């Protein structure tokens, strides 16, 4: 599950600086790139538990070495990406690209709305192309370690679609933001927070119907893996959370990655559970049931609502902090950057710079909250499958062990890396939970599924 924490108003407002609707990417698998796996269902194997008895999460010396190397690369890359994003926004201001884009828009038309159709795309495209070397490096790294099997042509198509969405969202939000700033110079941060929250909820609502299909192929799970439906329904009944089959979906992921996954997307009428075809191909039936139980836990424990509430609160604090900081920044640099004030089109990258700077803290808070929710969902999965899966703990451990080996997850990650960037618990922690969580043997009551 991905609850975007720097979401709410901020996820939309800063479409320029964060990008829009990226395709799902795993966390970091073999030095040679494998061909796309043949997707043949493992359901025929039945619910047999893993033959190996797991006692914890371990990697062979060779895999451990690769995992540590990859972890160091990715940690450094994340830090560099953050700094380079700030540099890109500073460059757009310092080189006066932003001022030139404003002048071009104002020379072309006196209509503020039409000006947004010129200015916003120019800034968004400039920023995206400055970030392109980082995107290329990230994808090259995934290909080198075998996590990505997507062709460069398909990757380029996804990148361009993402850029298109960034431009569209940027135009809408830049126009609204400028109007709000000119209407209320002291309270724009609050008014924009309200408006952008409504817009974000709308985007989040339509994402499974409009945005996600732009990047991935979906089908009813009943059409792709009908054998799973009766077993999944047993889980939903056990949890008292009936999820109709029409809200269970299959997603083609094997054309892009070897990664196994499932997720919860949307809310209300568009809320759905999605199981990737890679999971159906590689997981045992018990493993898929546990995976489904985890995603159902996000339903049952209201994680989407809670995540959106936190995102909204963080975005309010971030907007207010940015409001307090943007004045001193402009007072020192407005003349140097040829800016007239905050109500100037050309000042938008300066505001984005401040938001990106403070947004790092918001993302850290969000990642820690997400880890807490994911841990709850793991517990829920073990509880809701208890008695329905022969050995939930071993099946759960087997799934995470396979995942860790596929994507080279280090058993002992740097705590700083975990605090700053991990939005899921470390794999070693999750395997340990799988193997040790057993309130029933001690006569204790389960936390969630009584």
């Amino acid at each position: 599950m991905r609850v975007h924490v720097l979401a709410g108003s901020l996820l939309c407002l800063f479409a320029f600086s964060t990008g829009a609707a990226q395709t799902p990417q795993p966390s970091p698998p073999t030095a040679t790139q494998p061909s796309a796996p043949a997707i043949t269902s493992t359901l025929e194997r039945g619910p047999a538990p893993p033959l190996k008895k797991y006692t914890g999460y371990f990697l062979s010396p060779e895999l451990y070495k690769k995992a540590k190397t990859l972890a160091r690369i990715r940690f450094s890359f994340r830090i560099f990406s953050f700094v380079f994003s700030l540099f890109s926004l500073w460059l757009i201001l310092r080189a006066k690209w932003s001022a030139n884009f404003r002048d071009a828009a104002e020379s072309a038309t006196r209509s503020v709305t039409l000006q947004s159709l010129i200015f916003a795309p120019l800034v968004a495209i400039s920023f995206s192309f400055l970030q392109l070397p980082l995107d290329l490096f990230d994808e090259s790294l995934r290909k080198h370690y075998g996590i990505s099997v997507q062709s460069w042509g398909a990757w380029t198509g996804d990148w361009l679609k993402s850029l298109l969405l960034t431009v569209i969202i940027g135009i809408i939000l830049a126009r609204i933001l400028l109007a709000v700033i000119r209407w209320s110079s002291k309270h724009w941060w609050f008014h924009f927070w309200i408006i952008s929250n409504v817009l974000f909820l709308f985007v989040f609502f339509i994402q499974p119907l409009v945005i996600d299909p732009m990047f991935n192929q979906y089908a009813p799970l009943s059409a792709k893996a009908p054998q799973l439906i009766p077993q999944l329904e047993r889980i939903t009944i056990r949890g008292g959370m009936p999820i109709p089959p029409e809200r269970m979906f299959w997603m083609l992921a094997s054309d892009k990655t070897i990664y196994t996954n499932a997720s919860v997307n949307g809310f209300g009428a568009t809320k759905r559970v999605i199981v990737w075809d890679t999971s159906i191909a590689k997981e045992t039936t018990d493993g898929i049931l546990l995976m489904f139980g985890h995603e159902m836990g996000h339903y049952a424990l209201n994680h989407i609502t809670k995540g959106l509430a936190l995102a909204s609160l963080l975005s309010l604090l971030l907007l207010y902090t940015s409001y307090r900081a943007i004045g001193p920044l402009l007072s020192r640099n407005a003349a140097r950057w040829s800016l007239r004030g905050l109500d100037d089109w050309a000042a938008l990258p300066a505001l984005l710079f401040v938001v990106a700077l403070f947004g790092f803290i918001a993302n850290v808070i969000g990642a820690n909250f997400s880890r807490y929710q994911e841990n709850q969902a793991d517990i829920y999965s073990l509880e809701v499958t208890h008695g329905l899966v022969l050995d939930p703990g071993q099946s759960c451990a087997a799934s995470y062990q396979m995942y860790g080996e596929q994507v080279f997850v280090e058993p002992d990650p740097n705590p700083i890396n975990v605090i700053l960037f991990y939005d899921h618990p470390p794999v070693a922690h999750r395997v340990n939970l799988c193997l040790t969580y057993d309130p029933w043997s001690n006569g204790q009551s389960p936390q969630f599924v009584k």
Side-chain angles (χ1 to χ4, degrees):
M1 172 190 174
R2 295 183 177 185
V3 174
H4 300 279
V5 176
L6 188 54
S9 55
L10 271 294
L11 187 65
C12 290
L13 164 63
F14 308 115
F16 291 136
S17 58
T18 60
Q22 297 293 330
T23 54
Q25 296 289 353
S27 348
T30 78
T32 58
Q33 177 180 331
S35 58
I39 301 304
T40 55
S41 174
T42 63
L43 298 180
E44 293 78 4
R45 295 204 298 262
L51 295 178
K52 179 179 177 180
K53 197 72 173 177
Y54 292 92
T55 58
Y57 174 58
F58 302 102
L59 294 180
S60 68
E62 180 183 1
L63 290 181
Y64 181 83
K65 182 179 179 180
K66 290 181 179 179
K68 297 300 288 187
T69 300
L70 183 57
R72 286 193 292 269
I73 294 173
R74 294 186 66 82
F75 178 76
S76 301
F77 177 72
R78 286 176 177 130
I79 297 295
F80 180 81
S81 295
F82 167 68
V83 174
F84 191 78
S85 294
L86 294 178
F87 169 78
S88 298
L89 291 168
W90 174 84
L91 179 63
I92 290 173
L93 292 163
R94 184 66 179 84
K96 298 185 179 181
W97 296 354
S98 187
N100 292 335
F101 296 157
R102 173 205 61 207
D103 293 342
E106 291 180 345
S107 298
T109 177
R110 299 185 61 179
S111 167
V112 179
T113 298
L114 294 180
Q115 288 173 7
S116 70
L117 297 176
I118 299 172
F119 177 82
L122 288 174
V123 173
I125 292 171
S126 298
F127 181 84
S128 295
F129 273 94
L130 286 172
Q131 298 295 300
L132 181 57
L134 299 186
D135 296 336
L136 291 170
F137 174 82
D138 185 54
E139 178 63 12
S140 297
L141 185 66
R142 296 178 191 277
K143 290 186 184 306
H144 176 73
Y145 278 89
I147 190 108
S148 175
V149 294
Q150 185 178 24
S151 69
W152 279 111
W155 181 90
T156 302
D158 283 348
W159 189 89
L160 291 173
K161 285 183 281 189
S162 179
L163 175 59
L164 175 62
L165 288 173
T166 300
V167 168
I168 293 172
I169 294 175
I171 290 172
I172 296 171
L173 290 164
R175 178 65 186 93
I176 294 174
L177 177 61
L178 188 67
V180 171
I181 290 174
R182 291 179 175 179
W183 174 62
S184 178
S185 61
K186 292 185 177 180
H187 299 101
W188 62 264
W189 55 274
F190 181 74
H191 299 302
F192 184 76
W193 173 73
I194 294 175
I195 295 171
S196 57
N197 266 290
V198 174
L199 291 175
F200 171 75
L201 288 175
F202 173 72
V203 172
F204 193 70
F205 180 80
I206 68 170
Q207 178 180 336
L209 304 178
V210 179
I211 298 177
D212 290 345
M214 294 175 60
F215 297 93
N216 295 290
Q217 178 184 334
Y218 296 87
L221 189 61
S222 58
K224 294 293 185 176
Q227 311 95 317
L228 269 180
I229 299 300
Q231 300 190 61
L232 296 179
E233 288 180 322
R234 292 169 62 213
I235 304 294
T236 65
I237 294 172
R238 170 70 182 278
M241 279 287 298
I243 300 175
E246 55 267 24
R247 292 201 179 191
M248 301 177 187
F249 286 84
W250 167 96
M251 189 189 90
L252 177 63
S254 57
D255 60 339
K256 296 181 180 181
T257 184
I258 63 169
Y259 178 32
T260 59
N261 195 20
S263 63
V264 175
N265 288 11
F267 72 96
T270 64
K271 187 187 291 184
R272 60 201 50 206
V273 171
I274 297 168
V275 180
W276 292 15
D277 69 325
T278 48
S279 299
I280 296 174
K282 298 180 179 182
E283 286 281 0
T284 63
T285 303
D286 283 359
I288 293 176
L289 294 181
L290 280 153
M291 183 180 293
F292 179 80
H294 174 99
E295 299 306 324
M296 196 176 81
H298 291 308
Y299 266 86
L301 303 178
N302 297 311
H303 283 171
I304 292 180
T305 302
K306 294 174 183 177
L308 291 175
L310 176 64
S312 180
L313 175 60
L314 287 175
S315 65
L316 176 63
L317 295 175
L318 189 49
L319 279 169
Y320 178 71
T321 304
S322 300
Y323 158 72
R324 300 290 297 182
I326 190 63
L329 179 66
L330 292 182
S331 66
R332 290 192 299 269
N333 298 286
R336 185 182 312 160
W337 296 340
S338 298
L339 308 181
R340 305 179 197 133
L342 186 57
D343 61 348
D344 179 8
W345 281 120
L348 179 60
L351 181 58
L352 293 176
F353 180 93
V354 173
V355 170
L357 183 63
F358 293 115
F360 185 86
I361 300 174
N363 275 319
V364 171
I365 295 172
N368 281 266
F369 182 72
S370 177
R371 286 203 309 277
Y372 168 74
Q373 287 192 323
E374 295 297 335
N375 184 70
Q376 283 192 323
D378 281 343
I379 293 173
Y380 184 94
S381 177
L382 292 168
E383 292 180 354
V384 79
T385 57
H386 180 71
L388 300 179
V389 169
L390 185 60
D391 193 338
Q394 284 293 310
S395 294
C396 170
S399 291
Y400 287 129
Q401 178 69 36
M402 178 178 68
Y403 164 79
E405 291 175 355
Q406 285 178 336
V407 301
F408 297 161
V409 178
E410 55 181 338
D412 50 349
N414 185 327
I416 296 177
N417 193 7
V418 174
I419 292 173
L420 293 182
F421 299 117
Y422 275 44
D423 56 5
H424 286 64
V427 168
H429 174 88
R430 303 182 85 170
V431 171
N432 183 65
L433 176 68
C434 295
L435 298 175
T436 60
Y437 185 76
D438 186 13
W440 304 277
S441 64
N442 299 322
Q444 298 175 348
S445 176
Q447 292 188 38
F448 305 118
V449 184
K450 307 300 182 181

